[in-house]
Amino acid sequence: QQKVQQSPESLSVPEGGMASLNCTSSDRNFQYFWWYRQHSGEGPKALMSIFSDGDKKEGRFTAHLNKASLHVSLHIRDSQPSDSALYFCAASANYGNEKITFGAGTKLTIKP
Amino acid sequence: NSKVIQTPRYLVKGQGQKAKMRCIPEKGHPVVFWYQQNKNNEFKFLINFQNQEVLQQIDMTEKRFSAECPSNSPCSLEIQSSEAGDSALYLCASRRGRDTEVFFGKGTRLTVV
């Protein structure tokens, strides 16, 4: 079983709409979470990190973490066609230099 | 924008051939990761280094995979005898330290025919 599960596998949202992505960890050691975005032909790029309970907002992106349930979400408001990409949730057990474990990704398509 | 440089971008090898790919981490980034991303976009952690020392690695008992990050030279990942199942995107990433972002390169896409 994957330690980081993402849903949905794919999501289609109209331009200007809200996209909501979900991630749950099955490993209680995971306390640090990131969202990465990967466009076709590129490597992943970190969007946001979130380490504390609650919301974290950066521009059009808002991440929410609930440590008790090990659930983290990403909300993208005013979605743009350039937001179409693969989105990965990633987690690690401590904020050192150990490996980061990735989920299987959500494919987001923004329809013009 | 990431300044992690991976070469080559594409690599085609026959089964049983050696495949070698290189990575230049961002300047000032002593921590380097290698990941394998398969055709289903799933990530598999392979190994990470801090300076020249291995921090963590998967069980490479097959001995087909080896990696190193020598000082003053690019890091490298080598597959001694390529198999069809090794076909994937190999991603190198680096970070400055504990509380900094991890930057990925564009990857080397290996196809084993």
Side-chain angles (χ1 to χ4, degrees):
Chain A
Q1 183 195 14
Q2 276 205 327
K3 290 189 174 183
V4 178
Q5 293 100 35
Q6 290 188 242
S7 64
E9 285 189 15
S10 62
L11 180 64
S12 183
V13 173
E15 185 174 355
M18 172 79 81
S20 296
L21 291 69
N22 296 293
C23 172
T24 303
S25 170
S26 59
D27 188 334
R28 287 230 151 256
N29 291 316
F30 287 160
Q31 292 289 303
Y32 301 92
F33 294 87
W34 292 262
W35 284 100
Y36 281 79
R37 180 166 75 180
Q38 185 177 24
H39 285 108
S40 180
E42 300 286 324
K45 179 174 170 54
L47 276 177
M48 296 181 68
S49 60
I50 185 164
F51 308 141
S52 302
D53 277 324
D55 292 337
K56 182 178 181 181
K57 185 178 179 182
E58 293 186 2
R60 297 185 294 111
F61 300 87
T62 301
H64 176 82
L65 173 60
N66 181 324
K67 281 195 172 184
S69 61
L70 291 178
H71 180 263
V72 60
S73 58
L74 179 69
H75 305 278
I76 308 172
R77 64 172 176 82
D78 189 25
S79 297
Q80 303 297 307
S82 59
D83 294 329
S84 295
L86 283 166
Y87 288 77
F88 294 95
C89 174
S92 73
N94 62 59
Y95 199 31
N97 288 318
E98 68 164 59
K99 68 176 182 179
I100 300 172
T101 299
F102 286 80
T106 292
K107 183 177 181 180
L108 175 64
T109 303
I110 307 301
K111 298 179 294 184
Chain B
N1 287 333
S2 174
K3 296 181 178 62
V4 177
I5 307 299
Q6 289 190 249
T7 57
R9 288 291 309 274
Y10 302 93
L11 191 56
V12 180
K13 294 291 178 181
Q15 294 197 47
Q17 288 187 320
K18 187 184 299 184
K20 187 168 186 175
M21 54 204 83
R22 292 175 176 83
C23 169
I24 300 175
E26 285 211 29
K27 192 175 181 180
H29 286 198
V31 183
V32 174
F33 302 82
W34 284 99
Y35 284 86
Q36 178 195 64
Q37 188 178 25
N38 66 20
K39 62 181 180 180
N40 295 320
N41 298 311
E42 296 164 332
F43 286 80
K44 178 181 180 180
F45 168 80
L46 297 175
I47 192 168
N48 61 347
F49 293 86
Q50 181 156 0
N51 297 311
Q52 293 79 52
E53 301 296 320
V54 175
L55 291 176
Q56 295 171 291
Q57 61 181 330
I58 62 166
D59 183 7
M60 293 185 176
T61 55
E62 287 186 72
K63 305 298 183 191
R64 293 190 305 111
F65 285 74
S66 62
E68 61 176 3
C69 269
S71 60
N72 301 316
S73 292
C75 298
S76 64
L77 176 68
E78 188 171 80
I79 306 172
Q80 287 297 322
S81 178
S82 301
E83 298 177 355
D86 298 330
S87 295
L89 182 68
Y90 289 83
L91 290 162
C92 176
S94 71
R95 79 191 313 182
R96 186 178 300 121
R98 292 171 55 98
D99 52 357
T100 61
E101 182 179 335
V102 174
F103 292 90
F104 281 84
K106 293 186 177 183
T108 292
R109 184 164 297 283
L110 172 65
T111 303
V112 181
V113 297

Tab-separated table of all heavy atoms in Angstrom, chain B residues 42-61:
chain	number	residue	atom	x	y	z
B	42	GLU	N	4.631	7.348	-11.149
B	42	GLU	CA	4.931	7.029	-9.752
B	42	GLU	C	6.419	7.245	-9.479
B	42	GLU	O	7.264	6.881	-10.296
B	42	GLU	CB	4.544	5.574	-9.452
B	42	GLU	CG	3.056	5.324	-9.582
B	42	GLU	CD	2.710	3.849	-9.675
B	42	GLU	OE1	3.551	3.069	-10.157
B	42	GLU	OE2	1.589	3.491	-9.281
B	43	PHE	N	6.724	7.802	-8.326
B	43	PHE	CA	8.105	8.066	-7.938
B	43	PHE	C	8.649	6.919	-7.100
B	43	PHE	O	7.978	6.403	-6.218
B	43	PHE	CB	8.184	9.334	-7.074
B	43	PHE	CG	8.001	10.608	-7.823
B	43	PHE	CD1	6.732	11.048	-8.172
B	43	PHE	CD2	9.086	11.383	-8.173
B	43	PHE	CE1	6.557	12.229	-8.870
B	43	PHE	CE2	8.919	12.573	-8.865
B	43	PHE	CZ	7.660	12.994	-9.213
B	44	LYS	N	9.892	6.568	-7.377
B	44	LYS	CA	10.602	5.605	-6.533
B	44	LYS	C	11.915	6.245	-6.118
B	44	LYS	O	12.743	6.610	-6.971
B	44	LYS	CB	10.869	4.306	-7.302
B	44	LYS	CG	11.653	3.269	-6.514
B	44	LYS	CD	11.885	2.021	-7.356
B	44	LYS	CE	12.660	0.963	-6.620
B	44	LYS	NZ	12.871	-0.248	-7.456
B	45	PHE	N	12.098	6.422	-4.812
B	45	PHE	CA	13.356	6.955	-4.294
B	45	PHE	C	14.456	5.935	-4.517
B	45	PHE	O	14.287	4.733	-4.267
B	45	PHE	CB	13.211	7.253	-2.799
B	45	PHE	CG	14.500	7.524	-2.098
B	45	PHE	CD1	15.092	8.769	-2.177
B	45	PHE	CD2	15.135	6.528	-1.368
B	45	PHE	CE1	16.293	9.026	-1.517
B	45	PHE	CE2	16.318	6.770	-0.713
B	45	PHE	CZ	16.906	8.024	-0.794
B	46	LEU	N	15.611	6.423	-4.994
B	46	LEU	CA	16.742	5.525	-5.224
B	46	LEU	C	17.844	5.724	-4.193
B	46	LEU	O	18.274	4.774	-3.531
B	46	LEU	CB	17.304	5.724	-6.634
B	46	LEU	CG	16.363	5.394	-7.796
B	46	LEU	CD1	17.010	5.745	-9.131
B	46	LEU	CD2	15.944	3.943	-7.755
B	47	ILE	N	18.313	6.967	-4.063
B	47	ILE	CA	19.460	7.237	-3.204
B	47	ILE	C	19.556	8.729	-2.963
B	47	ILE	O	19.080	9.525	-3.786
B	47	ILE	CB	20.762	6.700	-3.861
B	47	ILE	CG1	21.933	6.685	-2.878
B	47	ILE	CG2	21.111	7.509	-5.109
B	47	ILE	CD1	23.131	5.893	-3.391
B	48	ASN	N	20.144	9.119	-1.817
B	48	ASN	CA	20.488	10.519	-1.619
B	48	ASN	C	21.858	10.637	-0.971
B	48	ASN	O	22.329	9.714	-0.300
B	48	ASN	CB	19.404	11.301	-0.879
B	48	ASN	CG	19.121	10.788	0.518
B	48	ASN	OD1	19.549	9.701	0.883
B	48	ASN	ND2	18.386	11.558	1.297
B	49	PHE	N	22.471	11.777	-1.221
B	49	PHE	CA	23.833	12.063	-0.761
B	49	PHE	C	23.848	13.390	-0.019
B	49	PHE	O	23.076	14.295	-0.318
B	49	PHE	CB	24.790	12.232	-1.954
B	49	PHE	CG	25.028	11.004	-2.761
B	49	PHE	CD1	24.156	10.657	-3.797
B	49	PHE	CD2	26.127	10.190	-2.527
B	49	PHE	CE1	24.376	9.526	-4.562
B	49	PHE	CE2	26.352	9.065	-3.293
B	49	PHE	CZ	25.472	8.730	-4.317
B	50	GLN	N	24.753	13.498	0.933
B	50	GLN	CA	25.120	14.803	1.471
B	50	GLN	C	26.621	14.932	1.243
B	50	GLN	O	27.403	14.140	1.809
B	50	GLN	CB	24.784	14.940	2.951
B	50	GLN	CG	25.145	16.306	3.481
B	50	GLN	CD	24.353	16.699	4.711
B	50	GLN	OE1	23.509	15.945	5.206
B	50	GLN	NE2	24.613	17.883	5.215
B	51	ASN	N	26.959	15.886	0.411
B	51	ASN	CA	28.326	15.967	-0.120
B	51	ASN	C	28.636	14.626	-0.798
B	51	ASN	O	27.901	14.223	-1.675
B	51	ASN	CB	29.312	16.359	0.969
B	51	ASN	CG	29.011	17.746	1.501
B	51	ASN	OD1	28.834	18.694	0.744
B	51	ASN	ND2	28.918	17.886	2.815
B	52	GLN	N	29.638	13.947	-0.428
B	52	GLN	CA	29.957	12.691	-1.120
B	52	GLN	C	29.430	11.458	-0.403
B	52	GLN	O	29.590	10.330	-0.898
B	52	GLN	CB	31.476	12.564	-1.280
B	52	GLN	CG	32.103	13.592	-2.214
B	52	GLN	CD	32.293	14.938	-1.559
B	52	GLN	OE1	32.874	15.056	-0.485
B	52	GLN	NE2	31.760	15.971	-2.184
B	53	GLU	N	28.768	11.667	0.754
B	53	GLU	CA	28.362	10.533	1.569
B	53	GLU	C	26.912	10.123	1.284
B	53	GLU	O	26.032	10.980	1.157
B	53	GLU	CB	28.489	10.892	3.055
B	53	GLU	CG	29.894	11.288	3.477
B	53	GLU	CD	30.868	10.142	3.314
B	53	GLU	OE1	30.480	9.006	3.616
B	53	GLU	OE2	31.999	10.381	2.861
B	54	VAL	N	26.667	8.827	1.225
B	54	VAL	CA	25.314	8.314	1.038
B	54	VAL	C	24.522	8.472	2.338
B	54	VAL	O	24.976	8.072	3.407
B	54	VAL	CB	25.338	6.828	0.631
B	54	VAL	CG1	23.913	6.272	0.560
B	54	VAL	CG2	26.039	6.640	-0.702
B	55	LEU	N	23.339	9.090	2.248
B	55	LEU	CA	22.465	9.227	3.413
B	55	LEU	C	21.514	8.031	3.508
B	55	LEU	O	21.380	7.396	4.543
B	55	LEU	CB	21.652	10.520	3.317
B	55	LEU	CG	22.422	11.833	3.475
B	55	LEU	CD1	21.492	13.016	3.264
B	55	LEU	CD2	23.077	11.923	4.837
B	56	GLN	N	20.805	7.785	2.432
B	56	GLN	CA	19.856	6.668	2.377
B	56	GLN	C	19.899	6.087	0.968
B	56	GLN	O	20.200	6.797	0.016
B	56	GLN	CB	18.416	7.154	2.634
B	56	GLN	CG	18.132	7.705	4.012
B	56	GLN	CD	16.745	8.339	4.049
B	56	GLN	OE1	16.510	9.371	3.431
B	56	GLN	NE2	15.827	7.716	4.760
B	57	GLN	N	19.557	4.821	0.863
B	57	GLN	CA	19.419	4.231	-0.462
B	57	GLN	C	18.500	3.024	-0.369
B	57	GLN	O	18.370	2.402	0.687
B	57	GLN	CB	20.771	3.834	-1.048
B	57	GLN	CG	21.532	2.792	-0.245
B	57	GLN	CD	22.869	2.485	-0.887
B	57	GLN	OE1	23.045	2.563	-2.097
B	57	GLN	NE2	23.850	2.133	-0.068
B	58	ILE	N	17.866	2.723	-1.516
B	58	ILE	CA	17.057	1.515	-1.563
B	58	ILE	C	18.004	0.316	-1.566
B	58	ILE	O	19.207	0.458	-1.742
B	58	ILE	CB	16.172	1.480	-2.822
B	58	ILE	CG1	17.035	1.474	-4.083
B	58	ILE	CG2	15.197	2.638	-2.831
B	58	ILE	CD1	16.279	1.112	-5.326
B	59	ASP	N	17.427	-0.817	-1.341
B	59	ASP	CA	18.202	-2.039	-1.373
B	59	ASP	C	18.646	-2.324	-2.805
B	59	ASP	O	17.837	-2.692	-3.642
B	59	ASP	CB	17.354	-3.200	-0.851
B	59	ASP	CG	18.139	-4.489	-0.788
B	59	ASP	OD1	19.364	-4.471	-1.018
B	59	ASP	OD2	17.524	-5.524	-0.500
B	60	MET	N	19.910	-2.088	-3.075
B	60	MET	CA	20.422	-2.285	-4.436
B	60	MET	C	21.134	-3.631	-4.530
B	60	MET	O	22.179	-3.727	-5.174
B	60	MET	CB	21.351	-1.134	-4.812
B	60	MET	CG	20.651	0.213	-4.948
B	60	MET	SD	21.768	1.501	-5.524
B	60	MET	CE	20.659	2.878	-5.708
B	61	THR	N	20.565	-4.639	-3.871
B	61	THR	CA	21.253	-5.917	-3.847
B	61	THR	C	21.390	-6.520	-5.233
B	61	THR	O	22.219	-7.390	-5.442
B	61	THR	CB	20.529	-6.921	-2.936
B	61	THR	OG1	19.170	-7.042	-3.361
B	61	THR	CG2	20.571	-6.469	-1.493
